[in-house]
Amino acid sequence: MPAGNSGNLNRLHTNVGAVDPVGIEERVAKYTTRSIKGKSKLFGLRLAVSMVDLTTLEGKDTPGKVASLCQKAVNPHEGMDVPQVAAVCVYPSMVKHARKALGDSKVRIASVATAFPSGQAPLKTRLAEVRSAVGDGADEIDMVINRGAFLAGDHALVQDEISAVLEACGEARLKVILEVSELETCDNIRAASFLAMRVLRPGDFIKTSTGKTSLNATLGNNQVMLEAIRDFFLETGIPIAMKPAGGIRTAKQALQFLIAVKETLGDEWLNNNRYRFGASALLNDLVRQIQKQTSGAYQAPYSFSEAAESY
Amino acid sequence: MNRLPITKTPKCYVGGAFIRSESGRVAPLLDAKGQFFANIPQCTKKDLRNAVEAAAKAGPGWAKRTAYNRGQIIYRLAEMIEARSDEMAQAIMLGGAKSAAAEREVAAAVDRLVHYAGWTDKYESLLGSVNSVASPHFNFTVTEPMGIVGILAPQSAPLLGLVSLFAPAITSGNTVVALASTAQPYPSILLGEMLATSDLPGGVVNLLTGQRAELLPTFSTHAHLRALTGVADAVERKALRIGAADSVKRVKLIESETPVDWYEDQHQGLYHLKDLLEFKTTWHPVGA
């Protein structure tokens, strides 16, 4: 690595401020001790449902599978009063099938693009992918940043690429995936957040991860990014939205993330314009816990998922 | 030289680990002479929920084991109890049983496990069937385990009653969440230590201690429990059946009003296995 470029990373750290990882871990450990019961719990669970980006990103996705995902997004559980999710999140080739399945419902379509999950394709190809997804009817685009360029200290390139994707998005909202597990340190997560936020429009998202690596969203890296959003907002007045993705499977975890949002950014961020969960299994558990809250009886997970396992 | 006493903290066996209640509550257990013996965890409905999650996780793997292997493991559990039978007899004597009676109970519990260890690869041949039908189909019925079974152990016979209730459930591949005797919980604590060394996968048998009245409503309404067996009085039986109705649970309860003699042969055998099985019938077309 050329010496000047590692200097770039250092300068960026100095510019946006450092993160105290021990302090972060201590802070987030407190979130897991909050007691949320009764009506507050029900409110939190319903809010979390409305924030879900219901996701399927697998090689084996079919139009039929996407159609049933859309059905679930619009009506998460038959015979229950549950809000719709915020969006479905699919690969670009599935956007047109999702558009057809969703019809005129309010559920938005998010599409991962830019050679998700690695981002290792020529910029021209990545931009063409974004345009095609938007053309097929995507309302939101989830892009990955160029982690190689970031770690090599070529920050202008990272920002230029985000700007180029932003332009290709047109009206569509952009979510910038930092892929935190590949950024190695909390300082880098904060620095990458700032790099992205400085080129984004108000209301665009920064997002933790693709869900395709071993380490995904945690309360810790979520907190680093929330604090970056807070500091950026206090500095510039521009509100940036946040989306943790991957690894959030239970309603209990979702409530803890919402506590982090409430205590770091406040009520302004407690809606699906400013906060989302990228998840697939989470919705099942949220609906299951809502049913538990309303009926009083613990529920079996197989009543809420398509899993064939009946145990 | 005086040594500080090293006393054991009794813990419940859940998901293959030894847990305290999530509530942190304990209740003192007194021995037959009224002396303090130990603090017993007082499990809550959340502990019950966690135990059900553990049982659900262990279930598919346990049900997929070969019948032969399940038999080997249940036999191994019998071996583990036999090897520590003196200690187990002492635990039963805490409740006031005489030494001979306690030893008899341990021996009967070991024998009961050996009995069911023998059944694992045999019951299917007796309960399954090939059925005659008036069409060109090969029609046959096989059994499947129900899933997670809730067990309410009797207040007396703290070991033999508990073993007689959970052994048939696990024999066919069910998993179990059991509530031990509230009055005599210590044998179940000791049994947990034996389960842990028996090769039985963690989560197949989960043993809770605590106040029966607090936990019964959750046992009856938890939708993930597919069946309830145990011993209960008239008031409990009614409440359990009403609670179980919503989730269409199978409920098989022995009346506690008449004394139960757990040593009798009627408390073991094929029909106890049948109570906790689902039957699946398949129509397979055959050439005319």
Side-chain angles (χ1 to χ4, degrees), chain A residues 35-37 41 250 252 285 288-289 292 295-304 309-311, chain B residues 45-46 49 53 55-56 59-60 62-64 145 147-148 173-175 218 221-224 226:
Chain A
S35 181
I36 308 275
K37 305 279 181 212
K41 185 170 184 181
T250 65
K252 195 172 180 176
D285 199 47
R288 181 184 173 206
Q289 299 310 331
K292 159 34 181 82
S295 73
Y298 288 115
Q299 302 295 311
Y302 47 71
S303 310
F304 301 91
E309 196 80 76
S310 65
Y311 223 99
Chain B
K45 60 180 183 177
K46 279 195 182 171
R49 176 200 59 187
E53 298 290 322
W62 178 240
K64 279 194 194 90
I148 310 167
N174 296 294
T175 54
T218 310
T221 57
H222 198 313
H224 208 169
R226 294 318 307 142

Side-chain angles (χ1 to χ4, degrees), chain B residues 69-81:
Chain B
N69 186 229
R70 284 203 303 273
Q72 285 178 309
I73 290 173
I74 294 170
Y75 190 89
R76 168 92 178 156
L77 174 59
E79 290 176 359
M80 291 300 104
I81 301 176

Side-chain angles (χ1 to χ4, degrees), chain A residues 12-54:
Chain A
L12 183 60
H13 286 156
T14 315
N15 178 257
V16 303
V19 179
D20 165 20
V22 178
I24 290 284
E25 286 310 316
E26 231 169 80
R27 181 84 186 94
V28 301
K30 296 258 167 40
Y31 296 145
T32 61
T33 64
R34 303 278 187 271
S35 181
I36 308 275
K37 305 279 181 212
K39 277 185 186 159
S40 320
K41 185 170 184 181
L42 197 53
F43 170 82
L45 293 170
R46 292 175 61 89
L47 181 63
V49 169
S50 75
M51 288 175 167
V52 167
D53 277 6
L54 194 60

Side-chain angles (χ1 to χ4, degrees), chain A:
Chain A
M1 191 192 298
N5 285 348
S6 90
N8 278 350
L9 200 50
N10 287 338
R11 266 196 294 282
L12 183 60
H13 286 156
T14 315
N15 178 257
V16 303
V19 179
D20 165 20
V22 178
I24 290 284
E25 286 310 316
E26 231 169 80
R27 181 84 186 94
V28 301
K30 296 258 167 40
Y31 296 145
T32 61
T33 64
R34 303 278 187 271
S35 181
I36 308 275
K37 305 279 181 212
K39 277 185 186 159
S40 320
K41 185 170 184 181
L42 197 53
F43 170 82
L45 293 170
R46 292 175 61 89
L47 181 63
V49 169
S50 75
M51 288 175 167
V52 167
D53 277 6
L54 194 60
T55 303
T56 182
L57 296 171
E58 287 175 23
K60 61 180 180 184
D61 286 348
T62 58
K65 191 179 166 198
V66 169
S68 78
L69 187 85
C70 291
Q71 166 72 27
K72 189 164 181 165
V74 174
N75 183 11
H77 196 70
E78 200 59 47
M80 253 177 87
D81 174 32
V82 185
Q84 296 184 341
V85 306
V88 293
C89 182
V90 294
Y91 272 123
S93 61
M94 291 294 150
V95 169
K96 54 181 182 288
H97 303 297
R99 184 80 281 163
K100 201 171 143 202
L102 283 173
D104 50 7
S105 93
K106 289 210 175 65
V107 176
R108 297 162 69 90
I109 299 174
S111 172
V112 297
T114 71
F116 181 93
S118 71
Q120 299 284 20
L123 182 62
K124 209 170 101 185
T125 320
R126 282 181 272 158
L127 293 178
E129 200 184 356
V130 172
R131 287 195 195 96
S132 131
V134 173
D136 282 347
D139 304 303
E140 302 174 355
I141 296 292
D142 289 29
M143 72 167 285
V144 290
I145 63 162
N146 191 333
R147 283 89 75 190
F150 176 83
L151 292 170
D154 198 350
H155 302 143
L157 178 62
V158 177
Q159 286 187 315
D160 287 351
E161 288 186 356
I162 297 174
S163 299
V165 173
L166 206 51
E167 205 181 332
C169 278
E171 293 290 297
R173 293 178 81 177
L174 182 62
K175 306 196 192 97
V176 180
I177 304 172
L178 307 182
E179 193 63 305
V180 291
S181 66
E182 295 183 352
L183 295 183
E184 316 282 352
T185 65
C186 290
D187 283 347
N188 282 349
I189 296 172
R190 182 177 170 88
S193 304
F194 268 86
L195 273 190
M197 287 190 293
R198 282 172 180 166
V199 289
L200 289 179
R201 303 162 296 192
D204 284 332
F205 285 74
I206 54 175
K207 174 174 166 185
T208 55
S209 35
T210 58
K212 298 290 182 194
T213 56
S214 53
L215 183 73
N216 296 303
T218 62
L219 277 174
N221 55 42
N222 179 65
Q223 184 67 20
V224 173
M225 292 171 69
L226 290 179
E227 289 183 5
I229 290 171
R230 180 194 62 197
D231 296 346
F232 184 73
F233 179 71
L234 293 175
E235 198 179 294
T236 65
I238 298 173
I240 299 293
M242 169 70 187
K243 175 178 173 185
I248 307 169
R249 291 195 185 82
T250 65
K252 195 172 180 176
Q253 282 175 293
L255 289 176
Q256 290 166 354
F257 276 78
L258 290 182
I259 291 165
V261 176
K262 164 104 181 157
E263 295 187 10
T264 310
L265 291 167
D267 291 350
E268 298 275 288
W269 262 262
L270 281 181
N271 60 66
N272 64 13
N273 274 321
R274 297 268 179 96
Y275 201 77
R276 297 276 180 85
F277 291 106
S280 43
L282 173 64
L283 181 62
N284 293 335
D285 199 47
L286 286 170
V287 176
R288 181 184 173 206
Q289 299 310 331
I290 290 173
Q291 179 81 319
K292 159 34 181 82
Q293 260 338 84
T294 43
S295 73
Y298 288 115
Q299 302 295 311
Y302 47 71
S303 310
F304 301 91
S305 81
E306 299 77 21
E309 196 80 76
S310 65
Y311 223 99

Side-chain angles (χ1 to χ4, degrees), chain B residues 7-76:
Chain B
T7 52
K8 181 160 75 184
T9 305
K11 290 187 185 178
C12 296
Y13 184 63
V14 172
F18 293 95
I19 61 145
R20 294 178 166 91
S21 166
E22 59 82 31
S23 64
R25 289 187 313 169
V26 291
L29 176 68
L30 308 180
D31 65 17
K33 288 183 187 145
Q35 301 292 312
F36 173 80
F37 176 73
N39 282 317
I40 300 293
Q42 302 294 292
C43 292
T44 63
K45 60 180 183 177
K46 279 195 182 171
D47 290 309
L48 172 54
R49 176 200 59 187
N50 294 344
V52 171
E53 298 290 322
K57 215 170 154 193
W62 178 240
K64 279 194 194 90
R65 299 263 180 153
T66 61
Y68 177 68
N69 186 229
R70 284 203 303 273
Q72 285 178 309
I73 290 173
I74 294 170
Y75 190 89
R76 168 92 178 156

